[in-house]
Amino acid sequence: MWVNVNGKKVELPEGSTIRDAIKISNAPYREGSVLGVIKGKEEFEKNINKYKIRTDKGSIILEMLPDENAAELVKTWKENYKKFENLHIRWETSSEVAIGPIKTNLKPIKSEFDYKEGDVILSLSGFSADSTHIILSKEDHSAVYGVPDINKGVFARISGGRRTLFNLVDRDTIKSVEPLIERKSIINSAAVTNLDTEIEEGNQIFSYVKVSPSEKSPKSVEHFFSLIENELVLDYDSNSFAGFFGLQGIKKDAEHIDQRKRGTVTLRNSGKGTGKVYIYREDRVSNPAHNVVGHVQQGMELLDIAKKGNSITVISEPGRIMTLSKSQKEVESALKKYGIKQIREGLTDDDAIVVKQEPLYTIEILKEKEVKTFGISKDNLIGIEFSKNSPRSSWYFKKITGLIDAPIGSIKIHFAFQGMKVMMFEGDSREAKGLIPENTPEKCVKAGELGITNMSRRHIGMIGIRFEDNDEYGPTGEPFNGTNIIGHIVEGLSNLEKFKEGDVVYVKEAKSE
């Protein structure tokens, strides 16, 4: 049997599952993500009610009539619309534009009817089904079109492109006729997470969404890359857009502002909800609070089907260029496929770990065709395992160090004095607002535990580490009730003690196995 996986025809044996289809087609898919399954092309198009006619002069949008009276005519259109491609405008007058002819099985009558501006009519020219045209009405008028004895032959209305209609002449060509996919066209299709679901002949399967990033919004694109690198969960579900709030609170400057057409990806750059990402299911006007990140190139059907709480596999083409946390040698190899020159700085040994790159952003690296990579010794990179019991405090630390959207962050030492077995780092009192007590120690702070002063104390947001156990004070010198423990250092603790006041420390998240 044949099925369609992300627009690609795949042959499978009877009884195959979605898992089989994903494997054979080598389709991008992250385990646990939602998939879209549509029964087949006919089932898919049955619910579509808008079509775009693309001509030499522009496009015209037809919207099918919902009336039961026009159902048979609409069915005829859906079965034959592709036949109008590559045909010329047959004639045009002050009242109408005709496209055709094609052959149908309709039967004409010879009555005259009144038509309104914007009506779309199936006409049998010369009262012959072999000369079926569609008539696009420019104005209210009366005519004998040899229409079928169904709803005066009217099956649709012109809902867009009237200017194009009036510019058409009889030498213009119909370049294409395509269904316009709207969310309401496929919202009732199946959203599936069970890969062992059996599929049938003609099924359409959507496993991922592909986005083309905008060159005009490099900072916003990098934010988007950070979001899609991990599990991407749909946080808000409406007819107008899908919302992804995993990096809410991360502020980005205003960049490229444009219309938010269906499939547009945006980042909120100011106001409530800064850092949220939206993918639009319906057209919306531009908004200065929304940077355009890019546009969906494939898989919009999956976004239409997905619901709040679903995980979605999203990829970008081109993808992110991120050199941080790799060795200088690994970076060299990775950059070759992009034709990008590497300039090594800092520690330049092959096994040095890259902790900074310049330019920072993928779009700028692709433009400049070179990137500076600053390396340090692996022993000087500090690995932190974060506690699940202090989500707000961990978020604060990741945000001010840059770990929230990069694999390596940095933080400056505020206080370090050899022999005191304690080190403190610069915080940000503005970002620390609202740091309620969480995961406060009870009996003892262990060596290597990382703590933050919470809002119960004056120096909110201060960050500290102890190099030996202490059963009186937290890592920032505050009592236990003023200290939030966010995790502990599992890599580089002994080397960290050698750092001095004013030094920059590079950190990474070390996830437990």
Side-chain angles (χ1 to χ4, degrees):
M1 66 177 179
W2 289 91
V3 298
N4 189 299
V5 184
N6 301 308
K8 177 182 176 183
K9 285 190 73 175
V10 177
E11 188 174 15
L12 295 167
E14 293 290 338
S16 294
T17 65
I18 293 176
R19 188 184 304 278
D20 299 324
I22 296 296
K23 183 177 180 180
I24 290 175
S25 64
N26 198 28
Y29 176 72
R30 178 178 284 144
E31 197 73 27
S33 297
V34 69
L35 301 109
V37 179
I38 298 173
K39 287 185 178 181
K41 186 174 184 291
E42 290 183 6
E43 180 70 18
F44 181 51
E45 293 196 2
K46 184 173 71 175
N47 298 310
I48 291 174
N49 73 336
K50 285 187 180 179
Y51 290 78
K52 178 190 284 189
I53 299 177
R54 193 164 65 89
T55 75
D56 298 319
K57 299 289 176 60
S59 297
I60 299 170
I61 308 300
L62 308 187
E63 184 166 358
M64 304 297 105
L65 294 182
D67 308 1
E68 192 62 36
N69 294 339
E72 189 176 334
L73 296 177
V74 171
K75 182 173 181 289
T76 299
W77 163 259
K78 290 186 176 185
E79 291 172 347
N80 292 281
Y81 69 88
K82 279 292 182 182
K83 295 178 182 177
F84 288 97
E85 291 185 338
N86 301 315
L87 298 181
H88 294 284
I89 301 301
R90 190 64 183 275
W91 73 80
E92 57 88 19
T93 70
S94 60
S95 300
E96 69 211 357
V97 169
I99 305 170
I102 67 167
K103 293 182 179 181
T104 64
N105 294 319
L106 298 173
K107 295 181 180 180
I109 59 173
K110 298 182 179 181
S111 303
E112 181 179 20
F113 293 106
D114 294 332
Y115 296 99
K116 295 191 175 296
E117 177 190 358
D119 281 346
V120 184
I121 306 134
L122 275 170
S123 161
L124 281 62
S125 180
F127 306 105
S128 168
D130 291 346
S131 186
T132 301
H133 295 72
I134 59 167
I135 306 293
L136 308 177
S137 174
K138 292 181 176 180
E139 63 181 8
D140 294 357
H141 68 282
S142 300
V144 178
Y145 285 129
V147 298
D149 192 14
I150 306 168
N151 203 46
K152 302 189 299 185
V154 179
F155 69 96
R157 294 279 300 167
I158 299 170
S159 63
R162 282 181 168 79
R163 181 179 298 178
T164 298
L165 175 65
F166 279 85
N167 286 334
L168 290 173
V169 295
D170 58 12
R171 63 178 176 272
D172 289 325
T173 303
I174 306 304
K175 293 188 171 183
S176 65
V177 184
E178 298 290 345
L180 270 183
I181 312 300
E182 298 179 292
R183 190 187 184 217
K184 61 186 178 182
S185 304
I186 58 175
I187 194 171
N188 293 324
S189 302
V192 178
T193 54
N194 182 5
L195 293 182
D196 295 321
T197 302
E198 284 196 17
I199 50 181
E200 300 172 353
E201 175 79 36
N203 280 178
Q204 296 190 67
I205 301 167
F206 303 94
S207 70
Y208 74 104
V209 176
K210 182 169 76 174
V211 172
S212 174
S214 168
E215 294 182 356
K216 299 177 181 179
S217 300
K219 296 178 183 178
S220 302
V221 167
E222 212 68 28
H223 180 101
F224 179 69
F225 285 155
S226 300
L227 186 67
I228 66 175
E229 278 181 345
N230 301 304
E231 182 185 19
L232 185 66
V233 177
L234 178 55
D235 296 301
Y236 189 88
D237 176 21
S238 75
N239 285 331
S240 299
F241 61 83
F244 304 91
F245 304 161
L247 291 180
Q248 180 180 354
I250 307 299
K251 190 178 187 308
K252 300 294 178 184
D253 297 333
E255 292 185 294
H256 179 51
I257 311 297
D258 204 349
Q259 290 184 341
R260 297 170 290 174
K261 292 185 176 294
R262 175 174 162 80
T264 301
V265 184
T266 71
L267 165 70
R268 189 165 182 87
N269 62 44
S270 61
K272 188 177 180 181
T274 297
K276 291 180 177 180
V277 169
Y278 303 86
I279 303 181
Y280 284 84
R281 291 164 164 165
E282 294 180 352
D283 293 356
R284 289 291 180 269
V285 297
S286 63
N287 185 318
H290 284 263
N291 297 339
V292 173
V293 173
H295 298 86
V296 173
Q297 298 299 311
Q298 186 172 339
M300 197 63 209
E301 297 89 348
L302 180 57
L303 276 167
D304 287 331
I305 294 168
K307 295 178 173 58
K308 182 178 178 181
N310 287 153
S311 296
I312 304 175
T313 300
V314 179
I315 66 171
S316 174
E317 197 173 287
R320 189 181 200 182
I321 298 177
M322 173 53 68
T323 67
L324 274 55
S325 81
K326 297 181 175 69
S327 71
Q328 293 276 29
K329 183 63 176 176
E330 287 172 333
V331 169
E332 179 184 318
S333 300
L335 292 177
K336 278 183 180 178
K337 67 179 182 180
Y338 293 102
I340 292 170
K341 178 183 176 183
Q342 179 193 19
I343 302 172
R344 296 188 185 187
E345 295 188 342
L347 190 62
T348 59
D349 298 352
D350 280 354
D351 59 355
I353 302 300
V354 175
V355 293
K356 288 194 301 184
Q357 68 179 38
E358 185 183 342
L360 287 173
Y361 309 117
T362 298
I363 298 298
E364 294 177 350
I365 293 172
L366 290 171
K367 284 181 180 178
E368 295 184 18
K369 293 296 182 181
E370 69 176 33
V371 58
K372 297 176 182 177
T373 57
F374 183 90
I376 66 170
S377 168
K378 182 179 180 181
D379 295 335
N380 289 333
L381 180 60
I382 308 304
I384 302 168
E385 189 173 308
F386 291 92
S387 169
K388 295 179 180 179
N389 298 322
S390 50
R392 286 195 179 190
S393 303
S394 296
W395 172 270
Y396 161 75
F397 180 86
K398 290 177 180 180
K399 186 175 181 181
I400 67 168
T401 59
L403 269 179
I404 201 73
D405 54 9
I408 301 287
S410 63
I411 191 167
K412 192 173 183 181
I413 297 174
H414 178 70
F415 172 82
F417 191 81
Q418 285 188 345
M420 290 192 67
K421 297 294 181 181
V422 67
M423 181 179 285
M424 296 186 195
F425 305 92
E426 292 183 358
D428 187 325
S429 57
R430 292 172 301 174
E431 293 288 351
K433 289 179 181 178
L435 277 185
I436 60 172
E438 58 179 1
N439 201 32
T440 55
E442 295 179 1
K443 295 180 180 179
C444 179
V445 170
K446 299 290 185 180
E449 287 191 321
L450 196 62
I452 296 176
T453 301
N454 62 42
M455 63 188 296
S456 70
R457 314 304 292 182
R458 178 184 174 187
H459 298 294
I460 181 175
M462 183 65 74
I463 301 164
I465 181 83
R466 286 196 177 274
F467 297 102
E468 63 181 11
D469 295 357
N470 191 295
D471 55 8
E472 288 189 72
Y473 297 101
T476 60
E478 300 288 357
F480 285 178
N481 63 1
T483 303
N484 295 350
I485 299 298
I486 65 168
H488 62 284
I489 292 175
V490 295
E491 298 175 27
L493 181 61
S494 58
N495 270 13
L496 180 60
E497 197 169 0
K498 301 173 186 176
F499 282 67
K500 303 185 297 296
E501 188 173 308
D503 286 348
V504 174
V505 176
Y506 294 96
V507 297
K508 69 174 184 176
E509 182 172 2
K511 296 182 180 179
S512 57
E513 296 297 329

